[in-house]
Amino acid sequence: MFYIIGKSVFRKEALDKVTGAAKYTGDFNITGLLYACIVASPYAHAEIKQIQTSEAWKVPGVHAIVSGKQCPILTGSPILDRPPIALDKVRYHGEPVALIVADSEQSTRKAAALIKVEYIPLDVVNSPNAAIKSNAPLIHENLKHYKLLEEAYPEPGTNIANRTKIRKGDLKKGWAKSQIIIESNISFPQSDHVAMETRCSIAQIKPDGEIIIYTSTQTPFSVKKLISLYFNIEPQKVTVKTPLVGGAFGGKTSVQLEILAYIASKSVGGKAVKMLNSREEDMITSPVHIGLDAKVKLGCTTEGKIAAAEITHLFDGGAYSDRGAIISKAAAVDCTGPYNIDNLWCDSLCLYTNHPNAVAFRGFGHLELTFAIERAMDILADQLNMDPIELRLKNAIIPGNTTPTQTLLNSSNIGNLPACLKRLRELIHWDEGRRIQIGNNKVRAKGVSCIWKNSNTPINAGAGAILTFNHDGSINIHTGAIEIGQGTKTVLAQILAERMKMDISKIHVDMEVDTKIDPDHWKTAASRTIYLVGGAVLEAAEDAMHQLKTTASRVLNISTQDLDVSESRVFWRQNPRVGLGFESIGSQVIGRGRFVMKGLTGLDPETGRGNPGPDWAVGAQGVEVELDLKEYTYKILKAVSVIDAGKVLNPEAAKGQITGGMNLGLSFSSREYFIFNDNGIIQNPQLRTYKILHFGENPEYIVDFIETPQMDAPYGARGIGEHGVIGMPAALANSLSAAVQVPLNFMPLLPEFIWKTTRGVKK
């Protein structure tokens, strides 16, 4: 029986948020604060011939104008391939070519408009399919000279930033067993994160050389590490502070604005300088959601057992590798979806294009790979004349099977996909019919998809936690976890309250992270914060309870083995009235905990064999639509998710996470994408032209959970922060494909595109 785990608890930061008291990076003001903005390239690919700044200097209040030649370094991760400010050429529309620092934001904008840059346009690489061609223009001519910070396999002389290979079983034998073979090609364009808070950073260099950076980020410790590395600064001189973050969805894992803010501060003698993206800048100059062109070939027996798979991913990583190279690896690791396929060949490539560089997006490549494999599964089911759910049940991955990287699965590291599918069948009323004519040229149709995700974290990813006690017996939790809207810090308080059997109102969490005083944490990403930080909090609780018992033992003259902890007291188990409250013995206690991933390995570069993460959380999702066969407009009526959460720690928070993800997935699969013209210029860089799902357009959301505990996780909980979004694009495409009875293998699913596809017109 749990004390508070499994109960819905109000979020710790809720009152501040609903009353407007919550503070974000943009709310910070420092005396003498200056402002900076960039001059953005109007070209996607061009040489920089010259930059004229004389007129810009005439604007009152301008303190500095910085070009790439004044800061000729390369940044990036895993490949050092990106100048903070373009050097000899620009590689995407919106790339910074100069940086202005002035007294006011208005002055920076005015000066930026007066800077004249002369360009020589170059041929544009406008898609990953174009980038892979042998005669494609090279975006990085010096690729072979770039240094690597992480494992990646760039191929000099090409536009390939990374290639991950997966080789499992014997593909020839697999094809020989296959009586039915299908192929499908999908296209998933780049889009934006559209977080409510645009990116913002403030940098200041103190007289003693200490660098303080306030920033809206998911990765304050990475910011500290990379600023130190890029500029050859001693790590202890860099302090990063992050308050509440107003949404991120992976977009704030990249380190970009922090670098520019530091350069700006350095250019004005260390004064505090603020950089706040406008919405348009946030959409085109900062990193975006990755795109994918993919080909999937599946072979199966007449009974529907998949015998072979051949998969090629061409990811649109944009102008610089950033996290795109790692996303392509993550997609390779889980390329088959949650299906047991013994014979497999996969090449997953991250390609340079003349698009904005890509960074993590909620799901980290899994939305894209899931769309590819799940469309293929429905096409295969149609070829077999088999129910799509039955096909998935026949091939669902279970304990005893192996993953594409040949990790052996057990009941702890894989959830129960068949149970998720069976529950989904009930909730979406699948057996009433996949496609139903309802009159007036309208049909209702349903589609499903299966999901899974591993974290693809570094093999030594970890986190720390510190507990301090107040004089009233309450406890403070100090961690490096960022509150980006997901409610993590409330759940961490629940984890501590459960272990110490105490009132959660007596547990306090600080919403700001300060790298100088808070313990290190890998990053708030990959649905791994509760696993990592929660594990550290539990260890810190054990440490604190040991100290409390030791002190109480001396005062009460009772062995520590006979003492217990509950309700903010240490008491004698034999007579609970004999004991001491935390307020009397806790003030000098400091609980310390750490948690590090165990048993993970790198991948073999030729076969992909290895153990890339601690577990695969699975789920099944479905969508029901109503489509007008005359106009090809449609309504999304219902969206359903059944996720194996291991153990649901906070039911309402978990449902909120999954529902928010479903909304996000349906938004960009039904309407969101960047429109690039032939010159690689984004045509819809504003919310007036870049459409998102609005209130009133949402379907009925149904969320349910299966609980198969992950044995090494806090109370068995699996990471589920990304899982609501992963299968929505595929489920929507499968439902609409069933409705129009034509394969729809592209995103977004706009009525115009559906109409063109049904008529055989190229999108």
Side-chain angles (χ1 to χ4, degrees), residues 490-656:
T490 300
V491 176
L492 292 175
Q494 282 184 261
I495 288 171
L496 180 61
E498 180 69 37
R499 184 63 192 94
M500 302 194 76
K501 299 293 185 289
M502 65 183 289
D503 186 344
I504 195 171
S505 69
K506 295 183 179 180
I507 296 175
H508 309 294
V509 288
D510 189 355
M511 293 300 157
E512 179 177 299
V513 171
D514 184 331
T515 61
K516 180 176 281 188
I517 58 176
D518 289 315
D520 200 347
H521 169 43
W522 168 63
K523 61 179 66 171
T524 302
S527 303
R528 280 290 163 254
T529 306
I530 294 302
Y531 180 66
L532 293 173
V533 184
V537 166
L538 285 174
E539 185 173 292
E542 296 295 335
D543 184 40
M545 288 192 294
H546 173 74
Q547 295 176 55
L548 290 165
K549 287 180 180 180
T550 299
T551 301
S553 172
R554 292 168 182 162
V555 175
L556 301 173
N557 197 27
I558 298 173
S559 168
T560 58
Q561 295 179 350
D562 295 325
L563 295 175
D564 209 343
V565 176
S566 181
E567 302 296 342
S568 300
R569 295 178 68 246
V570 181
F571 58 87
W572 187 20
R573 197 176 294 113
Q574 189 172 323
N575 182 2
R577 288 180 294 178
V578 177
L580 298 165
F582 288 177
E583 71 278 0
S584 60
I585 59 173
S587 60
Q588 299 302 313
V589 170
I590 300 176
R592 294 162 294 182
R594 62 191 294 268
F595 186 91
V596 180
M597 296 273 197
K598 300 177 182 67
L600 308 188
T601 70
L603 302 183
D604 183 284
E606 294 303 317
T607 66
R609 185 166 188 159
N611 184 19
D615 84 298
W616 285 259
V618 299
Q621 297 183 293
V623 169
E624 182 177 5
V625 298
E626 181 179 294
L627 180 130
D628 187 317
L629 290 168
K630 185 177 180 181
E631 297 181 355
Y632 292 95
T633 56
Y634 61 90
K635 294 179 182 178
I636 305 171
L637 302 177
K638 186 183 295 183
V640 184
S641 289
V642 182
I643 310 296
D644 192 333
K647 173 63 185 175
V648 179
L649 303 181
N650 184 322
E652 287 303 314
K655 287 181 181 178

Side-chain angles (χ1 to χ4, degrees), residues 18-38:
V18 299
T19 60
K23 297 296 182 185
Y24 298 86
T25 302
D27 295 321
F28 282 85
N29 280 310
I30 300 171
T31 302
L33 183 67
L34 301 178
Y35 298 82
C37 80
I38 65 163

